[in-house]
Coordinates of all heavy atoms in Angstrom, one line a residue:
I1 N 63.2 -40.3 1.3 CA 62.4 -40.3 2.5 C 63.2 -41.0 3.6 O 63.7 -42.1 3.4 CB 61.0 -41.0 2.2 CG1 60.2 -40.4 1.1 CG2 60.2 -41.0 3.5 CD1 59.0 -41.1 0.7
D2 N 63.3 -40.4 4.7 CA 64.0 -41.0 5.9 C 63.1 -41.2 7.0 O 62.2 -40.4 7.3 CB 65.1 -40.0 6.3 CG 66.2 -39.9 5.3 OD1 67.0 -40.9 5.2 OD2 66.3 -38.9 4.5
R3 N 63.3 -42.3 7.7 CA 62.6 -42.6 8.9 C 63.2 -41.8 10.1 O 64.5 -41.9 10.3 CB 62.6 -44.1 9.2 CG 61.6 -44.5 10.3 CD 62.0 -45.9 10.9 NE 62.3 -46.9 9.9 CZ 61.4 -47.7 9.4 NH1 60.2 -47.7 9.9 NH2 61.7 -48.6 8.5
A4 N 62.5 -41.0 10.8 CA 63.0 -40.3 11.9 C 62.2 -40.6 13.1 O 61.2 -39.9 13.4 CB 63.0 -38.8 11.6
G5 N 62.5 -41.6 13.8 CA 61.7 -42.1 15.0 C 60.4 -42.7 14.4 O 60.4 -43.6 13.6
S6 N 59.3 -42.1 14.8 CA 58.0 -42.5 14.3 C 57.5 -41.7 13.1 O 56.5 -41.9 12.5 CB 56.9 -42.5 15.4 OG 56.8 -41.1 15.9
D7 N 58.4 -40.7 12.7 CA 58.0 -39.8 11.6 C 58.8 -40.2 10.3 O 59.8 -40.9 10.4 CB 58.4 -38.4 12.0 CG 57.6 -37.8 13.1 OD1 56.4 -38.3 13.2 OD2 58.1 -37.0 13.9
Y8 N 58.3 -39.8 9.2 CA 58.9 -40.0 7.9 C 59.1 -38.6 7.2 O 58.1 -37.9 7.0 CB 58.1 -40.9 7.1 CG 58.0 -42.3 7.6 CD1 57.2 -42.7 8.7 CD2 58.9 -43.3 7.1 CE1 57.1 -43.9 9.2 CE2 58.9 -44.6 7.7 CZ 58.0 -44.9 8.7 OH 58.0 -46.2 9.2
I9 N 60.3 -38.3 6.9 CA 60.7 -37.0 6.4 C 61.0 -37.1 4.9 O 62.0 -37.8 4.5 CB 61.8 -36.4 7.1 CG1 61.6 -36.4 8.7 CG2 62.1 -34.9 6.7 CD1 60.4 -35.6 9.1
L10 N 60.3 -36.4 4.1 CA 60.5 -36.3 2.6 C 61.4 -35.1 2.4 O 61.2 -34.0 2.8 CB 59.2 -36.2 1.9 CG 59.3 -35.8 0.4 CD1 59.9 -37.0 -0.4 CD2 58.0 -35.4 -0.2
T11 N 62.5 -35.3 1.6 CA 63.4 -34.2 1.3 C 63.7 -34.2 -0.3 O 64.0 -35.2 -0.9 CB 64.8 -34.4 2.0 OG1 64.6 -34.6 3.4 CG2 65.7 -33.3 1.7
D12 N 63.5 -33.1 -0.9 CA 63.8 -32.9 -2.3 C 65.3 -32.8 -2.4 O 66.0 -32.1 -1.7 CB 63.1 -31.6 -2.8 CG 63.5 -31.4 -4.3 OD1 62.9 -32.1 -5.1 OD2 64.3 -30.5 -4.6
L13 N 65.9 -33.5 -3.4 CA 67.4 -33.5 -3.6 C 67.8 -32.5 -4.7 O 68.5 -32.9 -5.6 CB 67.8 -34.9 -3.9 CG 67.5 -36.0 -2.8 CD1 68.0 -37.4 -3.3 CD2 68.1 -35.6 -1.5
Q14 N 67.3 -31.3 -4.5 CA 67.7 -30.2 -5.5 C 67.3 -30.7 -6.9 O 68.1 -30.5 -7.9 CB 69.2 -29.9 -5.4 CG 69.6 -29.4 -4.0 CD 71.1 -29.2 -3.8 OE1 71.8 -29.0 -4.8 NE2 71.6 -29.3 -2.6
S15 N 66.1 -31.2 -7.1 CA 65.7 -31.7 -8.4 C 65.4 -30.6 -9.3 O 65.1 -29.4 -8.9 CB 64.4 -32.6 -8.2 OG 63.4 -31.8 -7.7
T16 N 65.4 -30.8 -10.6 CA 65.2 -29.8 -11.6 C 63.7 -29.3 -11.6 O 63.4 -28.1 -11.6 CB 65.5 -30.3 -13.0 OG1 66.8 -30.7 -13.0 CG2 65.2 -29.3 -14.1
N17 N 62.8 -30.2 -11.5 CA 61.3 -29.9 -11.6 C 60.6 -29.8 -10.2 O 59.4 -29.6 -10.2 CB 60.6 -30.8 -12.5 CG 61.1 -30.6 -14.0 OD1 61.2 -29.5 -14.4 ND2 61.4 -31.7 -14.6
G18 N 61.3 -30.1 -9.1 CA 60.7 -29.9 -7.8 C 59.9 -31.2 -7.4 O 59.6 -32.0 -8.2
T19 N 59.7 -31.2 -6.1 CA 58.9 -32.3 -5.5 C 57.7 -31.6 -4.8 O 57.8 -30.6 -4.1 CB 59.7 -33.0 -4.4 OG1 60.9 -33.6 -5.0 CG2 58.9 -34.1 -3.8
F20 N 56.5 -32.2 -5.0 CA 55.2 -31.6 -4.6 C 54.5 -32.6 -3.6 O 54.5 -33.8 -3.9 CB 54.3 -31.2 -5.7 CG 54.9 -30.1 -6.6 CD1 55.9 -30.4 -7.5 CD2 54.4 -28.8 -6.5 CE1 56.4 -29.4 -8.3 CE2 54.9 -27.8 -7.3 CZ 55.9 -28.1 -8.2
V21 N 53.9 -32.1 -2.6 CA 53.1 -32.9 -1.7 C 51.7 -32.2 -1.6 O 51.6 -31.0 -1.2 CB 53.7 -33.0 -0.3 CG1 52.7 -33.8 0.6 CG2 55.0 -33.7 -0.3
N22 N 50.7 -32.9 -2.1 CA 49.3 -32.3 -2.1 C 49.3 -30.9 -2.7 O 48.7 -30.0 -2.2 CB 48.8 -32.3 -0.7 CG 48.8 -33.6 0.0 OD1 48.7 -34.7 -0.7 ND2 49.0 -33.7 1.3
K23 N 50.0 -30.8 -3.9 CA 50.0 -29.6 -4.7 C 51.0 -28.5 -4.3 O 51.1 -27.5 -5.0 CB 48.6 -29.0 -4.8 CG 48.3 -28.2 -6.1 CD 46.9 -27.8 -6.2 CE 46.7 -27.0 -7.6 NZ 45.3 -26.6 -7.7
Q24 N 51.6 -28.7 -3.1 CA 52.5 -27.6 -2.7 C 53.9 -28.1 -2.9 O 54.3 -29.2 -2.5 CB 52.3 -27.4 -1.2 CG 50.9 -26.7 -0.9 CD 50.7 -25.4 -1.5 OE1 51.6 -24.5 -1.5 NE2 49.6 -25.1 -2.1
K25 N 54.8 -27.2 -3.4 CA 56.2 -27.5 -3.6 C 56.8 -27.6 -2.2 O 56.6 -26.8 -1.3 CB 56.9 -26.5 -4.4 CG 58.4 -26.7 -4.6 CD 59.0 -25.5 -5.4 CE 60.5 -25.6 -5.3 NZ 61.1 -25.3 -4.0
V26 N 57.7 -28.6 -2.0 CA 58.3 -28.8 -0.7 C 59.8 -29.0 -0.9 O 60.3 -29.5 -1.9 CB 57.7 -30.0 0.1 CG1 56.2 -29.8 0.4 CG2 58.0 -31.3 -0.6
V27 N 60.6 -28.6 0.2 CA 62.0 -28.9 0.2 C 62.2 -30.0 1.3 O 62.9 -31.0 1.0 CB 62.8 -27.7 0.6 CG1 64.3 -28.0 0.8 CG2 62.7 -26.6 -0.5
S28 N 61.5 -29.9 2.4 CA 61.5 -30.9 3.4 C 60.1 -31.0 4.0 O 59.5 -29.9 4.3 CB 62.5 -30.6 4.5 OG 62.5 -31.6 5.5
H29 N 59.5 -32.2 4.2 CA 58.1 -32.3 4.6 C 57.9 -33.5 5.4 O 58.4 -34.6 5.1 CB 57.2 -32.3 3.4 CG 55.8 -32.4 3.7 ND1 55.0 -31.3 4.0 CD2 54.9 -33.5 3.7 CE1 53.7 -31.8 4.2 NE2 53.7 -33.1 4.1
K30 N 57.2 -33.4 6.6 CA 56.9 -34.6 7.4 C 55.6 -35.2 6.8 O 54.6 -34.5 6.8 CB 56.7 -34.2 8.9 CG 56.4 -35.4 9.8 CD 56.6 -35.1 11.2 CE 55.4 -34.2 11.7 NZ 55.5 -34.1 13.2
L31 N 55.7 -36.5 6.4 CA 54.6 -37.1 5.7 C 53.5 -37.6 6.7 O 53.8 -38.0 7.8 CB 55.1 -38.3 4.9 CG 56.0 -37.9 3.7 CD1 56.7 -39.1 3.1 CD2 55.2 -37.2 2.6
S32 N 52.3 -37.6 6.2 CA 51.1 -38.1 6.9 C 50.4 -39.1 6.0 O 50.6 -39.1 4.8 CB 50.2 -37.0 7.3 OG 50.8 -36.0 8.1

């Protein structure tokens, strides 16, 4: 997770089983 100004960006690092936010698989996602 990287701070981008006032936003926070989650990035999956090519993981084997994936990263999910609220049930959806994501590659890059702005968190709320």
Side-chain angles (χ1 to χ4, degrees):
I1 302 173
D2 291 284
R3 192 199 313 265
S6 60
D7 296 326
Y8 292 80
I9 309 299
L10 170 70
T11 304
D12 179 78
L13 299 179
Q14 301 174 24
S15 62
T16 301
N17 291 314
T19 301
F20 295 78
V21 176
N22 304 329
K23 205 173 182 178
Q24 295 298 316
K25 175 182 172 290
V26 300
V27 175
S28 181
H29 179 83
K30 184 166 73 172
L31 293 167
S32 300

